[in-house]
Amino acid sequence: MMEKNQWHPVALSQAVTDAPVPVRLLDEDLVLWRDAQGAAQAFVDRCPHRGARLSLGRVQGGQLECPYHGWQFASSGQCVKVPAVPAFTPPPQHCVKSFGVQEAHGLIWVQLEAAEVPLPVFEAEDDARLRKVNCGPYDVQASAPRIIENFLDMSHFGFVHEGWLGSRDATEMAPYQVENTACGVKATNCKAVQPMSNLHSTKPAEVHYTYEVTAPFTALLTKIPEAGSSKDGWREAIGLFICPVSPTTSRVWFRLAVADFESSDEQLQAFQHTIFTQDQPVLESQQPKALPLDPRAELHSAADRMSSAYRRYLKASGVTFGVC
């Protein structure tokens, strides 16, 4: 399954401190913890001794300790202590499976199978002119591909986000362009007239968007809040990062990169919360929950050009998790 070669977000960095944290990724139960140097680690959440959940244990002296018999494991996964037999030196086979871990964008990312695959790109991360805020997690009863496709879709704005990102009297979509990229697909020249495009909107504005898929379950948008208002070339951005928990359930984060340095984190998060919780019940109602890749399975229009390109990209990439 190629998805195991990808990097997936599994938790906020700040959520993993001095105690083990259970997470689930691609139907695998994992435990996150930090070693003596503060580095995040990810193990299978199962002690190889008698199968207890390691997430019920604790971190002791920089080692992960099993709650059942106190076996301790180093960051490599190697068992280093068996309390019932203090003089015993555990051999190499006394170990727990560990996984690749990186921290970026305020999140902990895990790769289940080692491969030379980079983290999904979020170019706005390095722009000091933009403030970064994470929103979430949201636990959603929908597949990761369904959630990505919804993020890429502008034609629902006037209905799902009426009075916010769209209105029923302005639902026509102007033509936009779609192209394949080295790591996914991209849509440019996307336009929408929005009653309240951001926290401080006081009147409707035409917003210009660029959408980009940079990994199977990662999507980005960049926007100019009002046509021609970009200063010095910067654009605000939102990254959608999804942990595919199971084929039909997901954990979702948004990372905002905005020019608003006046509002509090809570205000920015509340605006994003309003928008996504308008989407969530619709997402959870879709059937089938897995995203169909056969073009004949659902109907399409010219407004669906980007979502159709995303489906073709998933099929060409060999993605099988959360699709049908």
Side-chain angles (χ1 to χ4, degrees):
M1 187 168 62
M2 67 82 64
E3 295 87 334
K4 290 189 175 184
N5 296 333
Q6 301 291 314
W7 290 96
H8 301 283
V10 292
L12 287 168
S13 290
Q14 65 192 43
V16 182
T17 55
D18 55 356
V21 175
V23 297
R24 190 168 176 81
L25 170 63
L26 295 171
D27 274 338
E28 292 257 12
D29 288 316
L30 311 180
V31 56
L32 306 178
W33 62 286
R34 291 190 184 276
D35 62 22
Q37 288 71 48
Q41 307 295 335
F43 289 177
V44 166
D45 194 9
R46 183 179 63 257
C47 181
H49 176 218
R50 289 295 181 267
R53 284 192 177 271
L54 291 169
S55 58
L56 296 175
R58 62 177 182 167
V59 179
Q60 182 73 8
Q63 321 291 349
L64 181 60
E65 182 181 274
C66 176
Y68 197 6
H69 298 94
W71 283 32
Q72 291 186 5
F73 300 88
S75 58
S76 64
Q78 176 63 42
C79 178
V80 294
K81 183 177 180 180
V82 178
V85 193
F88 176 61
T89 299
Q93 61 266 33
H94 280 48
C95 64
V96 61
K97 188 173 183 180
S98 62
F99 303 100
V101 177
Q102 293 192 60
E103 292 194 58
H105 317 318
L107 297 164
I108 293 176
W109 300 72
V110 172
Q111 183 186 51
L112 294 183
E113 291 184 357
E116 293 296 321
V117 175
L119 281 174
V121 174
F122 185 45
E123 291 182 355
E125 190 69 45
D126 298 324
D127 191 336
R129 297 168 296 181
L130 299 175
R131 172 185 175 190
K132 318 309 184 302
V133 179
N134 277 358
C135 307
Y138 294 94
D139 291 314
V140 187
Q141 300 299 308
S143 68
R146 281 285 195 193
I147 298 168
I148 293 290
E149 185 176 78
N150 173 76
F151 184 76
L152 304 173
D153 181 282
M154 297 181 70
S155 61
H156 74 284
F157 285 178
F159 304 96
V160 178
H161 306 297
E162 186 176 11
W164 293 79
L165 304 186
S167 60
R168 288 174 180 264
D169 57 0
T171 57
E172 183 177 359
M173 285 188 61
Y176 60 94
Q177 290 72 50
V178 175
E179 61 183 297
N180 295 323
T181 67
C183 57
V185 290
K186 185 176 185 178
T188 55
N189 200 36
C190 305
K191 302 175 185 177
V193 176
Q194 299 185 334
M196 191 171 181
S197 62
N198 61 56
L199 185 61
H200 301 291
S201 296
T202 58
K203 61 181 180 180
E206 183 178 74
V207 180
H208 290 203
Y209 285 93
T210 295
Y211 288 96
E212 187 169 5
V213 174
T214 61
F217 307 138
T218 296
L220 313 175
L221 72 79
T222 58
K223 66 177 181 177
I224 303 174
E226 296 182 25
S229 68
S230 177
K231 298 177 182 179
D232 300 323
W234 60 261
R235 295 186 174 200
E236 295 185 317
I238 299 177
L240 170 59
F241 303 126
I242 303 179
C243 173
V245 176
S246 77
T248 58
T249 59
S250 306
R251 177 162 277 199
V252 174
W253 290 271
F254 295 92
R255 186 155 178 85
L256 312 183
V258 297
D260 182 353
F261 287 87
E262 300 174 1
S263 304
S264 67
D265 287 359
E266 291 75 17
Q267 288 173 310
L268 292 169
Q269 290 164 338
F271 182 85
Q272 187 63 36
H273 177 82
T274 296
I275 300 302
F276 186 66
T277 53
Q278 292 170 344
D279 283 315
Q280 188 167 353
V282 178
L283 280 166
E284 294 183 336
S285 77
Q286 289 182 281
Q287 295 293 331
K289 288 188 175 295
L291 183 71
L293 298 188
D294 185 337
R296 299 166 297 180
E298 294 181 331
L299 303 180
H300 313 277
S301 77
D304 303 317
R305 192 175 299 111
M306 180 57 167
S307 64
S308 295
Y310 173 58
R311 294 184 184 201
R312 291 193 297 271
Y313 156 73
L314 291 178
K315 187 171 184 178
S317 299
V319 171
T320 59
F321 201 86
V323 300
C324 61

